[in-house]
Amino acid sequence: LAATGKWHTPTTGNDCKKCEFRIDAKAKASGLQSGFDKCWSETRKLKAADLEKPFVFDVWDMRRGEKLISLGKYLMNQLTEEDIEPKESDDGLSRTQRQWLQVQLTQQNVKEPFIDFEGLAHEMESWTYPLNFIDFETMMTAIPFQKGRRPYEQSAFQFSHHIVTADGRVTHAKEYINIKRGHFPNFDFLRALKETLETNEGTIFRYATHENTVLRQIRVQLENSSEVDRTELIRFIDTITEWDEGDIRREGPRNMIDLCDLVKKYYFHPRMGGSNSIKKVLPAIIHHSRYLQTRYGLPIYGTTELPSHNFQKWHWIEKDENGHPSDPYKRLGELFEDLSKEEIETYYKNDELADGGAAMTAYARMQFTEMSDKEFETLRTALLRYCELDTLAMVMIFEYWREELKAHGAGKKTKRKLA
């Protein structure tokens, strides 16, 4: 509201995808008002029923949103194949095929997932056991935590590592977190990562590009350092990463596989909407997987059957009164008891950039804020539990795909076709 008390006439368009005042039907039913709805109802004359439907910019990686909106196509159910122009790909779904698939399943109100069994089976045949799943927590601050470092320099303060053996045994193998104030953690972080990944020669998995980017940035830091083992550490980074040399894409002999990239190519669930964030993919997969619901609905995580560093006799999945399975991330509780639910949720938006927000804030508090030993330990424990779940989530995605392939026959050359 302006100083006059009059409502400012808003501008609506593709940028509304990021609107912080867009809330779901449950929030509206609780009495909250949606600024998003007000803007679109006033500027585009959309009715309440339309405002509950997916918009054009809810299509994953939509790059034509502004043009389509200018043509009067605001909602996903208004789109046609000509609006997307899906292109064929020899390597799973192309970007536009995936977009059109999302539009089709939304328009047809399909609740079942799309799985390219042939593509997944081909990928999995190339993997070497034991499988290694890793996740990093990092931050880049304007004011460095350590003397002699630069503003906005990458700082890797935590990782988690899960292993899956050929017989299906899952183990939380290793974790690292820096708890020393004022200590630059990257080289100790890297040494601990090298030590755990070199215990076997199995395939390594990351989720999205973050881990690869961080390791390449640490490589540059090593080149400018006087670490006695920098040559060995640089060689290790080159072994498990990929990078560009001019116009040529290079990759190490044990280059990490991007699990998010496999999701984009071979899997889609309508519950994921326009996001491939692991915090959207995991709940969608659990909703569909009886195997995961049964396995992780039992208090066996943190036992000899499923060893863990931070949990004891834990069950990850509960069911509500309607029989719907819970999101494992909701089982963790929150990192910050002094923040409101709305403030906490700003750290967990749909895009990957926001997924580590709570961890970064918690680590910053541990570095900068005066607190009791009990408060410090509470934050440390919470960080370890969150990061462990991130790699376990990757394991769950793998287990789900493995069981689906078993059910459909890993050797079958079949996949659900796009209409």
Side-chain angles (χ1 to χ4, degrees):
L1 292 175
T4 61
K6 294 182 180 180
W7 180 262
H8 177 71
T9 302
T11 300
T12 50
N14 201 57
D15 287 343
C16 294
K17 175 182 176 65
K18 304 174 184 178
C19 179
E20 61 186 302
F21 303 108
R22 188 183 187 186
I23 58 178
D24 59 22
K26 184 177 180 180
K28 294 176 193 176
S30 71
L32 295 177
Q33 296 187 18
S34 169
F36 177 94
D37 287 5
K38 183 172 179 60
C39 291
W40 280 87
S41 62
E42 290 193 1
T43 61
R44 308 288 181 167
K45 308 305 178 185
L46 294 183
K47 300 183 183 304
D50 292 327
L51 293 166
E52 298 300 324
K53 299 174 183 177
F55 277 65
V56 165
F57 44 71
D58 291 323
V59 177
W60 169 69
D61 201 20
M62 172 54 74
R63 303 173 188 178
R64 300 181 178 183
E66 206 62 64
K67 178 181 178 181
L68 292 168
I69 289 171
S70 71
L71 296 174
K73 294 194 173 186
Y74 313 137
L75 305 175
M76 207 181 296
N77 63 15
Q78 295 175 284
L79 297 180
T80 65
E81 188 170 359
E82 289 69 31
D83 294 321
I84 303 295
E85 296 182 350
K87 301 293 191 300
E88 290 288 334
S89 170
D90 295 328
D91 185 20
L93 293 170
S94 69
R95 181 182 67 87
T96 49
Q97 278 183 312
R98 186 176 180 81
Q99 290 176 329
W100 181 232
L101 173 65
Q102 181 186 350
V103 172
Q104 283 182 296
L105 298 187
T106 300
Q107 292 178 346
Q108 298 166 13
N109 198 30
V110 174
K111 304 299 184 184
E112 296 298 305
F114 167 93
I115 307 176
D116 183 343
F117 295 105
E118 180 182 352
L120 273 179
H122 178 73
E123 292 280 353
M124 294 173 75
E125 286 167 2
S126 68
W127 299 347
T128 300
Y129 285 88
L131 307 182
N132 301 270
F133 300 86
I134 60 172
D135 176 76
F136 299 171
E137 299 296 347
T138 68
M139 68 187 312
M140 302 170 73
T141 57
I143 301 175
F145 293 153
Q146 305 86 21
K147 182 179 179 180
R149 308 310 305 189
R150 300 193 307 272
Y152 297 110
E153 188 173 14
Q154 187 67 262
S155 180
F157 61 86
Q158 182 179 8
F159 74 73
S160 174
H161 175 206
H162 267 88
I163 288 177
V164 179
T165 58
D167 62 0
R169 179 172 171 78
V170 176
T171 303
H172 187 220
K174 181 75 173 181
E175 62 185 4
Y176 169 89
I177 187 169
N178 173 56
I179 59 173
K180 300 176 185 177
R181 291 190 175 188
H183 175 67
F184 182 63
N186 289 17
F187 304 147
D188 288 341
F189 168 99
L190 184 61
R191 292 182 184 104
L193 182 69
K194 178 177 182 293
E195 179 183 11
T196 190
L197 289 179
E198 288 185 346
T199 59
N200 65 71
E201 298 180 354
T203 302
I204 307 169
F205 296 87
R206 53 182 164 86
Y207 200 92
T209 60
H210 181 64
E211 282 69 26
N212 191 83
T213 300
V214 169
L215 288 173
R216 300 308 298 180
Q217 290 171 333
I218 295 177
R219 189 187 192 281
V220 175
Q221 293 169 341
L222 277 168
E223 289 176 337
N224 297 322
S225 77
S226 57
E227 299 296 306
V228 294
D229 56 348
R230 68 174 187 168
T231 300
E232 180 183 350
L233 294 175
I234 287 173
R235 186 182 300 115
F236 166 69
I237 291 175
D238 287 345
T239 299
I240 68 171
T241 58
E242 56 188 52
W243 66 95
D244 291 323
E245 286 186 5
D247 296 332
I248 301 175
R249 188 67 171 173
R250 305 286 190 188
E251 63 178 52
R254 201 183 173 197
N255 183 31
M256 295 176 287
I257 291 177
D258 184 354
L259 200 64
C260 183
D261 188 51
L262 300 185
V263 170
K264 293 175 184 178
K265 289 179 180 178
Y266 306 119
Y267 183 81
F268 179 80
H269 196 294
R271 283 178 169 266
M272 291 159 49
S275 174
N276 295 306
S277 164
I278 199 166
K279 291 178 176 64
K280 288 293 184 180
V281 175
L282 181 63
I285 279 177
I286 285 176
H287 183 84
H288 184 255
S289 174
R290 301 299 180 198
Y291 172 83
L292 293 179
Q293 291 175 27
T294 300
R295 177 169 168 79
Y296 292 99
L298 299 173
I300 59 173
Y301 191 77
T303 66
T304 55
E305 185 173 349
L306 284 168
S308 163
H309 283 281
N310 300 293
F311 299 90
Q312 292 184 346
K313 297 181 179 179
W314 187 263
H315 66 280
W316 282 108
I317 300 173
E318 297 177 325
K319 292 189 177 181
D320 62 20
E321 62 276 9
N322 297 315
H324 298 145
S326 61
D327 176 354
Y329 282 97
K330 304 297 184 184
R331 291 271 294 129
L332 281 176
E334 306 296 353
L335 282 175
F336 313 113
E337 295 181 356
D338 57 330
L339 296 185
S340 69
K341 182 176 182 292
E342 289 73 23
E343 288 174 311
I344 291 168
E345 286 178 349
T346 64
Y347 298 128
Y348 295 101
K349 293 184 180 179
N350 293 348
D351 62 301
E352 285 80 356
L353 292 176
D355 282 345
M360 288 189 290
T361 303
Y363 182 69
R365 286 187 171 196
M366 292 171 70
Q367 290 288 317
F368 277 143
T369 305
E370 290 295 329
M371 62 178 68
S372 68
D373 291 345
K374 181 180 179 181
E375 290 173 311
F376 189 91
E377 181 60 23
T378 297
L379 279 182
R380 188 191 74 87
T381 301
L383 280 170
L384 290 172
R385 288 158 68 95
Y386 267 78
C387 197
E388 179 173 347
L389 178 54
D390 279 340
T391 48
L392 179 63
M394 297 167 68
V395 170
M396 289 183 183
I397 293 171
F398 158 72
E399 290 181 311
Y400 165 69
W401 284 345
R402 180 193 64 200
E403 296 306 308
E404 288 295 304
L405 285 173
K406 284 181 183 177
H408 290 82
K412 290 183 180 179
K413 300 298 182 180
T414 60
K415 64 180 176 181
R416 178 173 174 173
K417 300 293 185 181
L418 281 74

